[in-house]
Structure formats: C-alpha cells, structure tokens
Amino acid sequence: MIQPPATLGLLGGGQLGRYFVEAAQGMGYAVWVLDPDPASPAGRVAARHVCQAFDDPDALQALAGACEVITTEFENIPRAAVEWLDAHACLRPGPRALTVAQDRLEEKAFLGEIGVAVAPWQAVPAGLTPEVQTDAGAPDFPAILKTARLGYDGKGQVRLAAAGELPAAHAELGQVDCVLESRVELERELSVLVARTADGATEAFPVAENTHRDGILHLTRVPARAGDEVRERATAIARHVAERLDYQGVLAVEFFLTADGELLVNEIAPRPHNSGHYSLDACTVSQFEQQVRAVCALGLAPALLTAPVAMVNLLGDLWPAGGSPDWRGVLAAGRARLHLYGKAEARPGRKMGHVNVLGLPGEDDATAVASTAETLWQGLASAGGEGEA
Ligand code: ATP
Ligand code: MG
C-alpha cells in the first residue's frame, strides 16, 4: 500500500491527468507529470512538470527515482519507455495493458483470444494493400479502415462503401498498419469503467451510454438505456478483460450494442475515460480517485450513481475567434456543473471542457438531464463560431 505523502508519477498531462493530479493531491500525495507540452493541463497543477519527451532517458530516470508508483492517462507512450519503466519502477497498469491498447491489431487479437466478440475485421499491413478477405468472419461493407496506432477522436479512420475503395483508403492513411472492420449497425454505444487492484478486487462504474458527433464523444448519459441483462453482460465483459490483462488501475471498455442485442467491444483504454467524467459529480467516487486508490492499493470504493446524469463535451468549435463562450446560461442552470480544462488555445475538435447535468436523487432516468445538456450545448453552439444548431 502506497500511502500519502508519497510521490506518484503520471505519464501524459492532458485533462484526464489533471483530474488524477487533483484527486491525488486532495488525498495528500504529490504528483510528477511527464509530458512534452509546456502548457500541459496536468503539468500546470502538478507538484512537478517534467517537460520532456516520453522516451527521454533522463526524464524516465527522474520519474523512476522520485515516484513510488507510475500510472498513465495516455496510452501512446513509446514501447521502450514503458518497458524501461516497468523494469526500473512500479508501473501500473503494466506494459501488457499499454501495448495491447496502443495497437488495434494487438487489441483485436487479444480480445479474440480471450473470447470477447468484436466487429468482423482483418489486418491491413503496412505497404502493399491486400485483397479484402472473403472467408467466414471477414469484414463486410460498408466498412471502416482504421490506423492500428495513434488514432483518437475518430482521427486516422476512413469509411469505405465497397471493397474496391480499399487501396485508395489505405493510401489516404499513408499505407501504415491498419485494421479493416465492418461498419456495425449500432443500436447504442455503451462504455464501462472498471477498477482493479493487484489482489484481483474489481469495482465497476455504472454503464454509460454514449453519443458521438463526427467520431468524437458528444454526450454521455447514465443510467444507459439498456436492460439489466445487457448492463450486467457489459460489466462482466469489462471485468473479464481487466482480469485477463492482470490489470491494475482504471480501465475503460467501449462497446457497440447491435440491434439483436449483441455486445461487441470496440476498443479499450488503459486509463480513465471521457465517458467516465459523469463520475466527477454523480458517483460515490470519481474515476480519478478510484485510479489513485487502485494504483496505490488503498482498496476500491463502491462506485454507485448518486443521481441520473448527462455529460456533454465542450469542443473548441464552441469558442468564438479570440474569445470565450458566454457561460451564463450554463451557470444559471442550477443542476449543471461546468468543467474547463484550462487550455489556452481553442481549436476545432479539441476537448476544452464538459458540463455535467445532474438529476434529482431518486430519479432513475436520464432523459430529462440528457435533454437539458443538449439544450445547453445548442445554446453555446448557436452563439459560438460554429452556429451548428
Ligand atoms: P476515441 O479516442 O474517441 O475513442 P477513436 O479514434 O479511438 O476514438 P473509435 O472508438 O474506433 O475511434 O471510433 C470512434 C467512433 O466511430 C465510435 O465510437 C463509433 O461511434 C464510430 N465507429 C467506429 N468504428 C465503428 C464501426 N465498426 N461501426 C460503427 N461505428 C463505428
Ligand atoms: Mg473510441
């Protein structure tokens, strides 16, 4: 057990890291953040911001020397750095979870090995574009070609209507290693956050229901519109993935729910997740405090919903040129909590903050809060540069 006032290390310094730092510091720890961005949101609130590349040997040495445990808020840490840290420090989650989650080919293969269903897929290796497979289990069309590495928020993806489009799509992505997968007809998208400790204890957060716009998470509502059986199945799959990775920390599992009730895992993230931000205001523990508890082996807290909630993301598109949105509408909505990440520069698609809209304790449906969150977002969108409403 790693007790305060120990120093903890964090790989990555975005908003997920900022919340981890705040949770850990609130519990009496100090946190060192490694991130090459001088304006890193987490670095700015950490006890120390090591502003170096993720594979800088001196930076890794400094982190290993100072921190009793090192965790991550970002999966795309170079493999050699992950392995060095695992050998010279206490890294949680460990290298296996990080390497599986940073490569869609490894991720799909791993999920298949442990008996978890995914959308039909095939590998499209770097270089020469292969034929589209036709055997049973092969992807069909429409399909999506995704880069195996470094994709996020729907970047590095091309949609294909027919097999003949594969060479051009692969060229568009620079002919790097890719995964070709069937486009699933979605009934809903769900996600589950599960925390696990070294002794095998797990604690899952309530299932979240997610809506995307342009490949980026837009709105999360909890409880999800899914029956008990589906929710229990999704939670069991998330626990199974965590167990098979011998996971330590907080793990996110994204699901597709099909019209015939099948649950397919889309992808996993070895860290807290945007779709878990609702836990900051509507759970008995936040995903970030739970991450501190899991990696420090403090014991997990029950993750229970205290009120129905809807979270809506605030992307840079909402920022008028050179200015900032007018927050009065959000602030005046009594059950809305405004969260901003302190990023100086707003760019289209950049996650700048979010709003959690809370229902009343005892209500068991998120329809009203989801519609309030959408209305608040529409108000910002129509006033901002985009005018998408
Ligand atoms: P993020 O980092 O935001 O999770 P990402 O870049 O890793 O995004 P994915 O999660 O693979 O990308 O895809 C983003 C979204 O695109 C999904 O949540 C879903 O809405 C849609 N999508 C991706 N793959 C499929 C598919 N096979 N069938 C249907 N929709 C899909
Ligand atoms: Mg995703």
Side-chain angles (χ1 to χ4, degrees):
M1 190 190 271
I2 299 165
Q3 297 203 48
T7 298
L8 316 179
L10 183 67
L11 305 173
Q15 62 270 13
L16 298 171
R18 185 179 173 105
Y19 284 113
F20 173 83
V21 171
E22 284 172 350
Q25 290 184 167
M27 296 167 80
Y29 294 98
V31 184
W32 284 29
V33 168
L34 175 59
D35 191 291
D37 177 6
S40 149
R44 290 170 58 177
V45 297
R48 180 150 171 200
H49 177 193
V50 181
C51 190
Q52 298 291 345
F54 292 117
D55 53 2
D56 181 89
D58 293 336
L60 296 175
Q61 187 88 54
L63 228 64
C67 304
E68 292 195 38
V69 61
I70 298 168
T71 188
T72 183
E73 62 105 55
F74 174 69
E75 54 271 38
N76 293 317
I77 306 293
R79 200 174 196 131
V82 165
E83 277 158 12
W84 189 89
L85 283 174
D86 185 52
H88 296 87
C90 174
L91 181 68
R92 296 176 175 163
R96 172 102 176 108
L98 296 179
T99 52
V100 162
Q102 65 184 211
D103 187 318
R104 291 188 197 275
L105 288 162
E106 286 200 35
E107 184 177 64
K108 297 257 197 258
F110 164 73
L111 293 168
E113 276 161 29
I114 67 165
V116 168
V118 298
W121 68 283
Q122 75 170 71
V124 176
L128 207 63
T129 306
E131 294 285 298
V132 174
Q133 289 170 9
T134 51
D135 45 315
D140 49 20
F141 290 83
I144 306 187
L145 187 68
K146 302 181 178 180
T147 59
R149 303 173 72 85
L150 301 176
Y152 70 99
D153 288 345
K155 294 183 179 68
Q157 303 196 4
V158 180
R159 298 184 167 207
L160 288 79
E165 297 171 15
L166 180 60
H170 196 205
E172 190 180 331
L173 294 175
Q175 288 199 320
V176 295
D177 282 321
C178 287
V179 168
L180 178 68
E181 66 183 49
S182 301
R183 180 123 192 248
V184 175
E185 279 207 41
L186 301 173
E187 176 76 16
R188 303 224 184 287
E189 288 193 72
L190 305 174
S191 59
V192 175
L193 282 138
V194 62
R196 185 174 181 278
T197 46
D199 59 4
T202 61
E203 185 67 44
F205 284 80
V207 177
E209 174 183 339
N210 302 317
T211 312
H212 293 75
R213 287 172 62 99
D214 303 325
I216 304 180
L217 180 63
H218 172 61
L219 192 130
T220 295
R221 55 188 283 176
V222 190
R225 283 171 295 177
D228 289 347
E229 188 277 328
V230 168
R231 284 191 260 184
E232 279 162 24
R233 200 155 27 105
T235 306
I237 293 169
R239 284 205 161 91
H240 176 60
V241 172
E243 263 147 36
R244 295 301 297 268
L245 286 170
D246 195 17
Y247 197 84
Q248 293 180 58
V250 168
L251 174 77
V253 182
E254 299 178 11
F255 293 93
F256 298 143
L257 178 65
T258 69
D260 44 12
E262 200 184 0
L263 275 170
L264 306 174
V265 169
N266 172 29
E267 60 176 354
I268 64 176
R271 51 169 170 79
H273 193 263
N274 191 172
S275 71
H277 283 349
Y278 74 88
S279 66
L280 285 163
D281 296 308
C283 278
T284 47
V285 63
S286 78
Q287 58 174 345
F288 305 100
E289 179 182 335
Q290 196 78 300
Q291 184 184 16
V292 176
R293 287 170 163 270
V295 302
C296 293
L298 303 182
L300 300 174
L304 305 171
L305 197 67
T306 52
V309 57
M311 186 250 13
V312 67
N313 266 337
L314 304 174
L315 303 183
D317 312 58
L318 298 174
W319 266 242
S324 171
D326 180 351
W327 299 117
R328 280 175 295 182
V330 175
L331 295 170
R335 303 193 65 82
R337 303 264 78 81
L338 174 63
H339 294 257
L340 295 169
Y341 309 142
K343 297 181 182 176
E345 197 194 335
R347 292 190 294 269
R350 188 175 201 204
K351 290 173 179 168
M352 302 295 289
H354 66 272
V355 175
N356 282 335
V357 181
L358 304 175
L360 293 169
E363 281 175 0
D364 59 0
D365 184 273
T367 303
V369 286
S371 116
T372 304
E374 190 63 40
T375 303
L376 292 173
W377 180 86
Q378 293 280 355
L380 294 167
S382 54
E386 284 302 285
E388 283 181 276

